[in-house]
Amino acid sequence: MRLADLGELGLLAELEERGLARSIDADAALVPPNLVVTQDALIEGVHFRLDWTGMRDLGWKAAAVNLSDLAASGADPLGLVVTLGAPGRTEVEDVVQLYAGIAETGVAVIGGDTTEAPQLVLSVTALGRSPRVPGRSGARPGDALVVTGPLGASAAGFEALRHGLGSPLVRAHLRPPLRLAEGRQLAAVATAMLDLSDGIATDGGRLAARSGCRIVVALEQVPVGDGVADVAARVNRSPWELVCAFGEDYELLAALPVEEAAACGFPVVGRCEEGAGVALLLDGEPVRLAGWEHFAPHA
């Protein structure tokens, strides 16, 4: 069996079943009593193209995707450990700009490594501390679902780049938001929480699987980024594909008791109920979409 047949989630489940890892599909690892550690890699030609992405934007994004995992854990960042692989022909000033982009997040680089590589590879480990990590397994039937901001802008920005369209949403793809304060607020009351890196269709499924419940998302309640529908129309895509199935919005999805959801100030986009899996409903009718899956073939 190949990775393309198994998929990312299947691989993680296989490793866990064989006792080779545990809880590795979580946003971050919790080292008792309260140290939170997360790691993510960005690889040229897989996660970014240098003809689309400036080095400063790349540095921001490499840091931001890891800080998003800390946000989902309700953590305050302590620092970043950065490994850079790059061809020897890379200009020094390009590397300086990359690290300047990381520094713009306000979180210091406190260690790392450099090595020669045939293409640009960035691996970032983020460290933080959290008084309470909600995790993914605590959502219960009756909980409400909230998101911290609009979805679809990153997907629309990617499509604009891919089709050579001018759009302000390109920035949303290159510069994902930091939701650290929102994560700390929600972590105090959330029964489960994760960041939307792979789309609410996939990430909602992860939360549902770990919590042993069914996630129902009411699409008409989901906040959609300004201009997303326009870009979707220009590239002949359903706006809901961009909103739910692409990912890289790096907003937070949290399950909370109904009374806490009403008080938190974030949009309520659905609910948890008995059952399994994810249901995406538009005015009560099912909408079938898939989220991002690593190792699967992509057009």
Side-chain angles (χ1 to χ4, degrees), residues 21-205:
R22 57 187 174 90
S23 300
I24 54 173
D25 68 341
D27 285 288
L30 176 62
V31 182
N34 59 7
L35 180 65
V36 178
V37 183
T38 185
Q39 187 273 338
D40 222 331
L42 297 182
I43 300 172
E44 182 182 355
V46 177
H47 300 98
F48 64 90
R49 287 173 45 171
L50 289 176
D51 56 333
W52 290 356
T53 308
M55 296 296 274
R56 204 171 185 113
D57 287 336
L58 179 59
W60 171 279
K61 189 167 187 177
V65 300
N66 284 276
L67 294 173
S68 183
D69 286 335
L70 291 189
S73 302
D76 281 309
L78 296 173
L80 302 171
V81 179
V82 178
T83 293
L84 171 67
R89 65 179 181 275
T90 305
E91 296 288 340
V92 172
E93 185 56 29
D94 286 342
V95 176
V96 169
Q97 288 301 308
L98 187 150
Y99 278 81
I102 295 174
E104 284 185 47
T105 66
V107 182
V109 174
I110 59 173
D113 191 19
T114 57
T115 184
E116 186 172 6
Q119 74 219 67
L120 199 60
V121 177
L122 262 176
S123 179
V124 178
T125 300
L127 308 172
R129 293 198 186 277
S130 174
R132 181 177 187 269
V133 178
R136 300 181 176 187
S137 62
R140 296 293 178 262
D143 285 348
L145 296 170
V146 304
V147 293
T148 53
L151 307 183
S154 179
F158 173 81
E159 290 294 344
L161 285 167
R162 192 161 74 98
H163 291 271
L165 306 176
S167 171
L169 294 179
V170 167
R171 182 173 177 82
H173 181 66
L174 300 179
R175 292 256 175 167
L178 301 180
R179 296 296 187 225
L180 291 161
E182 294 88 340
R184 289 190 292 268
Q185 175 188 342
L186 287 168
V189 293
T191 56
M193 183 161 64
L194 46 60
D195 73 329
L196 294 175
S197 56
D198 296 327
I200 200 169
T202 290
D203 291 320

